[in-house]
Amino acid sequence: MDARNGYELADASIPKRRTFRKFTYRGVDLEQLLDVPSEEFMQMVTCRARRKFKRGLKRKPMGLIKKLRLAKQNAPELEKPECVKTHLRNMIIVPEMIGSIVGIYNGKTFNQVEIKPDMIGHYLGEFSISYKPVRHGRPGIGATHSSRFIPLK
Amino acid sequence: SLVVTQKDQFKAMSRVLNTNVDGNVKVMYALTAIKGVGRRYSNLVLKKADVDLSKRAGEMTQDELERIVDIIQNPLQYKIPKWFLNRQKHRTTGEYSQLVSNAVDNSLREDLERMKKIRLHRGLRHDWHLRVRGQHTKTTGRGGRTVGVSKKK
């Protein structure tokens, strides 16, 4: 596979652009993770993720995964695959998805997120914030109890 | 209790695992001064080390102290069950271990860094000093931040 993420696989001869610690998930390297069958992966992951896989093995997000694979295949070498948009914020990130670009819906827009190996086991929705962080302005009249009746001239 | 050791061998303060352990206190509670070691863990470690629990921490011999430190740092070798440990199935290494003193702080920092690096929602909340676990923040968590309305006159 490619080393675009900066996470070097065991025998990469491509010079490391940025030296990261070699990525392992619960003691398993990237390379091996990609080959791990889904039952084994379930054991490695947290219990909430495990429960989701156990319950929903009818695999609702099949469409998403197929599109991701396709996008990766079609991508020219050493370039990022095209963005795959989805509303599936409740999809858990699986080693298969690493390296793809996913446009995660936050209610209004599709936030483009590149999936890194670190993100395994989290939900897609956690990377696409769905609210605008609050920047409080000056509190208006009526905000507190004491200021309610002042405006009556 | 009847003092069995000699007066001059009683240590008022010992230094264990980068922390100062008070000598006057009973052993089990003295060890809780170490970060990462609580009452349960301390109790178990002392039992595995064959140390009399009714002793004070100052009465321990150097030999016993070394044994205790060894057990604290390598719990699995001394048959402390995996479920007893504070860092189970570590996210990157998959190890089961008990984090103590500096390691506790370091690992906390690393976790937060990781979340921030991936731009996880949780990590962002930590960054903004907001509640992470889904609590309502409209009315709680004020701690001195009073919002007032100025009377415009």
Side-chain angles (χ1 to χ4, degrees), chain B residues 37 42 49 56 63 71 94 100 112 117 129 136-137 142 152:
Chain B
V37 171
S42 169
R56 300 273 157 180
D63 182 43
I71 298 179
V100 272
L112 293 179
K117 202 166 71 153
H129 301 294
H136 285 211
T137 47
R142 301 238 175 133
K152 273 197 214 137

Side-chain angles (χ1 to χ4, degrees), chain B residues 6 11 13 33 61 71-72 88 103 106 118-119 130 139 147:
Chain B
Q6 275 122 6
K11 294 211 248 158
M13 172 87 58
T61 58
I71 298 179
I72 290 180
Q88 300 183 13
N106 285 344
I118 322 178
R119 319 246 77 222
L130 295 173
T139 51
V147 182

